[in-house]
Amino acid sequence: MLPFLCLLVLGGLLTQNAEGNRYPQAIANLSPEMLHQLISQRMNSQDWQDRLLSLPLEDAVKNGMKQGGGGGFLSGLPILGGLVNNVVSGVLGVKIKKVSLLELDIKLDPHEARLIVTIPADIEVEVKCPLSLMGRLVHLKVYLDVQIGVRLLKDPYTGHIKLTIENCQNNPGHIRITLLENISPLFQLINNVVRLVTNILEKTVPHILQKELCPLANGLVQSVLDLLQGSMHSEMFHMSPESFSLYDDRMQLAYESKVEMPGGHSVMIPDSGPLPSMPLEGSAMNMVMSGQYLTKAVQALAPPQVLNLACQIKVGAEYSEASNVWAQNIRIGELSLSLAVGRSRMWLPVEVPVYTGHPSGGYGPRFIVRLNLDFLAHPSIVAGKLVFSLHNPRTQDLRLQSSSVGNFDAQHVTVIITQIASECIMPHLNRHLAQGIPMPLVQNVDSSSLHIAAGKDALLLVASRVVPVSA
């Protein structure tokens, strides 16, 4: 836990992506409450507490007290000055005993393009001095204000946001030090010595804490900033924040994305226009994703191909003299994703050769049909990835391509083709779609509070809680 930490995120509003004229493929809105949780949970983690309590302060305080014990500070007090110098030179140990985190506060200032995070805390420091007449340790409570400035810069080469910590300093107006124990001295002289030692500590300990805490605090802040950048990279998918905006009630990140198809060639994602800006309405975060990007993503996961499998299904006597028919070398085309308010579906053109004997027997297909399959597409988040699962296939535009048994109305075999779609084609597609589309930020929200809804040509994700950080 950090002494009264003020994190200043400074940066201009960036409104265009690297291309300068294309709309983003995803927009994430983060509430101050989400930033509050991300920072405070990390500050409350046991690892961070342990690192803070084990800061090496002893040598730093000894040196600082030696420097603070002389000069004009004790001018005109030679006897007390000598006693204090003996105390200072004989410091036996310095240790942080306790850190009390106070209430975290976050303010967004869109006019100044700043994010201000204030984390007040009290630190109790134990200084072991050789005041044998006192017979006890000196316990101090320090309240100070460490400020960390962070600037958001756009890399001129990649166009991506870079978050750079600029400085770490304390605010002298918020330094306060208190002697916790009322010591009953044997002599008034000892009481004066204790007060002078306290004054020296007040001049040295806050600055020493700043020097020792800043690297630790910078690492903590940087870990949160890395999460805010939320870049996702995999073999097929690349998504990075390319612009940053602040509003009165949220921080907004706009993402550029790229999809690489099997074979390594990148595809241009059609520009579908501006994405809707969804209000947070009390949620920790939300994200809107372009339907155009998601369509290219599912096409990369399940590309067109020929399914080299023999799919066997049981049929009734009204369709065939045999009790089983087979489908092999099913040609699947390019998946299309359709998103409308409250509904997500996928379409797939297919060509299905149907056999009445096992295809390995050397006989050709009895007939071949072409059609479009229509699936319900259920979106979910699994291990930080967006996964679509297909259900309830329906046949559309079913037509006979060729037949060795003469012409017939292809609608008569709708049940057979629907069964082939359910037992052969849909499981194949779901296995490929289960690889998932990596998503930024969702690893940091509680999956039980995550809701996904389809909108017009877009998918909306809403999360009300952040994932707790393990102690």
Side-chain angles (χ1 to χ4, degrees):
M1 282 124 319
L2 184 63
F4 204 70
L5 167 67
C6 282
L7 166 62
L8 302 179
V9 179
L10 311 173
L13 296 178
L14 308 176
T15 58
Q16 289 185 320
N17 62 12
E19 290 83 4
N21 59 359
R22 290 178 57 81
Y23 291 102
Q25 298 299 328
I27 292 176
N29 293 298
L30 311 183
S31 68
E33 290 74 21
M34 179 171 182
L35 301 175
H36 181 291
Q37 292 180 62
L38 288 174
I39 295 173
S40 63
Q41 287 175 355
R42 280 158 180 76
M43 294 184 70
N44 280 309
S45 69
Q46 188 62 49
D47 175 67
W48 208 77
Q49 285 191 47
D50 293 343
R51 293 174 64 188
L52 181 59
L53 293 174
S54 62
L55 283 175
L57 296 182
E58 183 171 336
D59 291 340
V61 170
K62 284 182 180 180
N63 294 333
M65 289 178 67
K66 287 177 182 178
Q67 295 174 6
F73 183 69
L74 296 177
S75 176
L77 300 171
I79 296 178
L80 293 182
L83 287 173
V84 169
N85 285 331
N86 288 335
V87 169
V88 167
S89 61
V91 167
L92 302 177
V94 180
K95 186 177 182 181
I96 294 178
K97 295 294 292 182
K98 181 180 178 183
V99 179
S100 299
L101 179 66
L102 306 179
E103 182 60 30
L104 180 73
D105 180 65
I106 295 180
K107 287 184 172 61
L108 303 179
D109 187 348
H111 303 293
E112 297 293 331
R114 294 198 309 169
L115 171 68
I116 303 175
V117 180
T118 304
I119 308 172
D122 287 329
I123 296 182
E124 293 185 18
V125 180
E126 177 185 275
V127 181
K128 189 175 183 181
C129 298
L131 299 180
S132 57
L133 292 177
M134 291 170 13
R136 57 179 68 187
L137 303 174
V138 178
H139 289 86
L140 307 167
K141 177 178 283 190
V142 183
Y143 175 88
L144 58 140
D145 179 348
V146 173
Q147 295 182 334
I148 299 177
V150 179
R151 185 169 294 277
L152 288 91
L153 302 174
K154 196 167 187 179
D155 190 298
Y157 300 103
T158 65
H160 295 163
I161 292 174
K162 281 191 170 182
L163 300 169
T164 304
I165 295 178
E166 293 188 310
N167 54 60
C168 177
Q169 60 185 12
N170 61 25
N171 185 344
H174 292 87
I175 295 174
R176 184 169 68 248
I177 191 166
T178 305
L179 185 65
L180 294 181
E181 297 182 6
N182 293 320
I183 301 172
S184 300
L186 296 178
F187 304 101
Q188 183 63 34
L189 177 63
I190 296 299
N191 197 25
N192 292 335
V193 170
V194 170
R195 178 52 50 199
L196 288 172
V197 169
T198 302
N199 290 338
I200 295 173
L201 291 172
E202 185 170 347
K203 289 180 175 294
T204 58
V205 171
H207 300 285
I208 293 164
L209 283 173
Q210 173 200 331
K211 180 180 178 182
E212 297 295 331
L213 283 172
C214 274
L216 187 58
N218 286 349
L220 171 76
V221 172
Q222 189 62 57
S223 71
V224 176
L225 297 180
D226 290 342
L227 291 177
L228 297 184
Q229 294 187 84
S231 297
M232 301 298 301
H233 300 282
S234 67
E235 184 177 347
M236 288 186 286
F237 306 109
H238 306 270
M239 181 174 284
S240 300
E242 52 84 21
S243 70
F244 163 85
S245 301
L246 281 180
Y247 299 90
D248 290 332
D249 61 344
R250 68 191 187 279
M251 172 193 290
Q252 186 176 92
L253 288 170
Y255 290 86
E256 63 179 3
S257 55
K258 183 173 66 173
V259 176
E260 292 194 9
M261 293 296 183
H265 68 281
S266 298
V267 295
M268 175 65 69
I269 299 171
D271 198 342
S272 57
L275 291 171
S277 180
M278 304 299 296
L280 284 169
E281 296 182 340
S283 60
M285 69 155 284
N286 66 36
M287 179 178 291
V288 183
M289 303 199 70
S290 160
Q292 296 281 7
Y293 168 68
L294 295 176
T295 293
K296 292 300 180 184
V298 297
Q299 289 172 358
L301 290 173
Q305 60 182 292
V306 176
L307 305 185
N308 186 22
L309 52 81
C311 175
Q312 180 182 5
I313 63 171
K314 295 184 179 296
V315 297
E318 67 271 23
Y319 294 107
S320 171
E321 296 178 357
S323 60
N324 299 306
V325 298
W326 285 262
Q328 188 176 30
N329 296 329
I330 301 171
R331 294 181 180 272
I332 64 173
E334 195 169 67
L335 271 173
S336 296
L337 174 65
S338 174
L339 297 172
V341 176
R343 180 180 62 83
S344 57
R345 308 189 72 90
M346 288 192 196
W347 278 268
L348 179 72
V350 297
E351 181 180 282
V352 183
V354 178
Y355 301 77
T356 54
H358 195 283
S360 63
Y363 299 99
R366 300 299 296 269
F367 58 88
I368 300 175
V369 294
R370 287 182 177 176
L371 66 149
N372 290 316
L373 287 175
D374 171 19
F375 302 92
L376 290 177
H378 176 70
S380 63
I381 298 295
V382 180
K385 296 181 178 182
L386 176 64
V387 175
F388 286 97
S389 57
L390 304 183
H391 306 274
N392 302 333
R394 297 186 304 177
T395 62
Q396 293 186 355
D397 304 322
L398 181 61
R399 59 200 180 276
L400 187 65
Q401 177 67 17
S402 64
S403 171
S404 64
V405 295
N407 290 329
F408 61 91
D409 186 352
Q411 299 302 319
H412 293 164
V413 294
T414 298
V415 174
I416 293 178
I417 301 303
T418 302
Q419 194 171 348
I420 291 173
S422 296
E423 298 183 16
C424 303
I425 300 175
M426 189 170 69
H428 165 84
L429 294 173
N430 281 334
R431 283 193 297 271
H432 284 263
L433 294 174
Q435 299 173 75
I437 305 166
M439 301 285 290
L441 299 177
V442 297
Q443 299 92 332
N444 308 300
V445 298
D446 185 349
S447 59
S448 66
S449 74
L450 188 62
H451 303 280
I452 306 176
K456 180 174 172 51
D457 300 323
L459 198 68
L460 173 65
L461 290 78
V462 179
S464 57
R465 293 189 301 275
V466 177
V467 172
V469 175
S470 299

